Amino acid sequence: MYELLARVFEKVKARASDPKIRRLAEKYGYRAYMVARYVEVLGWSGAQLLLEANEKPLTPTIRCNDYLIDCGELKERLEEKGYVLEGLEFPPVGFRVLRRGIGSLGGTHEYLQGYYYIQDAASMSIAYALTPEPSELIVDMAAAPGGKSTQILQLTRDKALLVAVEKSPRRIRSLRSHLQRMRFTRYIVVLGDSLRVPLPTGVDRVLLDAPSTGEGIIRRDPSRKASRSLSDLSYIHETQYKLLSRAISLVKDGGVIVYSACSLAPEEGEFVIHRVLREHPEVTVEAHGLPATPGVTSYFGVDLDDRVASCGRFWPHIHDTEGFFVCRLRVRRD
Amino acid sequence: MALRIGLDNVYSMGLYVGMMAPGRWFKPGLPLAHKLAPLCRSKAKCVKVDEAGERFFLYGRSVMGERVSGWKPGLVLVLNSRGEALGWGRGTITNIGGVKRRLLEPVWDLGWYLRRGG
């Protein structure tokens, strides 16, 4: 186990045995170690606000595919079917679905035409941090079901070349289906494990939306309150670190990596970045430009690299989204 | 920059044109329907369905001829009343109660993305 995490976990376990923490965890159905960590980062009142926010289901949000349709026209067409939509402050192509109309959101004719993607507001923000440009070669290392892959091509008007990698044969079907439904063509979908599969090198940008514990999607999947242990967290951290190290090996000098994870856990966010900054001096953190709160720099007595403050996190109780960590990195080899 | 990807690992790429069974048939894909839809005014063999016909078609069901404008026999590109591609169909003649009726049968419609797309 990563030595720094081992140190933190001892303190997490000690804090989790506090009766006050245990009572709060029991009240909301969490494992005590999770609540101990929320209290560490947010304080008591912040942690309670988070736990309360996680009890409220997410309002559905969609991302308009402005590569195919004017977003005002999409809004009108859906409102003719009884939907009520409200534009998000960010990103500009996002809509909150305040009332559902005829048919399911994933079954309208507009959906089949590829005019939108059903996606959380935090999730649809991540591709903006990558700032993809037309004509670039871009790798999405964990691409299914395709929300961010389709958005990279949307932002580049289908003019970048995207290599979208997915290791699950079941999930890769969704990835291909969404790319085709939304009418993108500049992609190569690769079936394989991003740690091992042959991939292009010298690429302009890499998006790594890393596999995670899913602590950020408790509002969608409450089973995540109790389905992961500290040893799972350690295992996932290790996988995320290895994937990010592979991402670093793929980008050209001056290339950009966006690392994200749908998790609230600093172990899956700031600690991964801290470790990379320590072990890869060629990597620096850049401003991500998203309306997220700064990364955590002090956690259970461990001081992390100050630069992780430039990473960001979307919180359910602050941003009314899923929980998401995001960090933009640049690799300079000289 | 080196674009080296093992072909064994490539699952899909580029515009999906369709499915070919060597020496037998070609089933045109849905992305191809969108690409060819702008040619409906001139070169492509297309039909338009009305709103009810669109619903039937996207459910993978046949559409009666009176709901199809410009009905043609054989493989056709199917559009809705806005001129948006809905997929591929086949114009056929069927005998219903002793009366010959024109029909549009689905070959590959956008509803596939929900039913089978994954």
Side-chain angles (χ1 to χ4, degrees), chain A residues 93-155:
Chain A
V93 292
F95 288 100
R96 197 174 284 115
V97 181
L98 300 178
R99 195 177 75 200
R100 291 181 190 247
I102 302 163
S104 74
L105 195 53
T108 67
H109 294 190
E110 285 72 18
Y111 180 82
L112 296 177
Q113 287 290 343
Y115 293 156
Y116 64 90
Y117 190 98
I118 302 167
Q119 189 175 26
D120 176 66
S123 174
M124 69 174 90
S125 300
I126 304 300
Y128 285 89
L130 192 66
T131 57
E133 296 284 342
S135 83
E136 288 184 334
L137 177 59
I138 300 170
V139 175
D140 183 351
M141 290 179 70
K148 295 171 191 71
S149 278
T150 53
Q151 196 170 9
I152 288 168
L153 290 174
Q154 182 178 332
L155 287 168

Side-chain angles (χ1 to χ4, degrees), chain A residues 188-191 198, chain B residues 4-13:
Chain A
I188 301 172
V189 174
V190 172
L191 176 61
Chain B
R4 283 195 303 269
I5 298 171
L7 271 181
D8 288 348
N9 300 106
V10 172
Y11 181 80
S12 173
M13 61 183 189

Side-chain angles (χ1 to χ4, degrees), chain B residues 62-74:
Chain B
S62 295
V63 183
M64 298 304 288
E66 55 268 29
R67 299 204 170 280
V68 182
S69 136
W71 180 94
K72 298 171 185 71

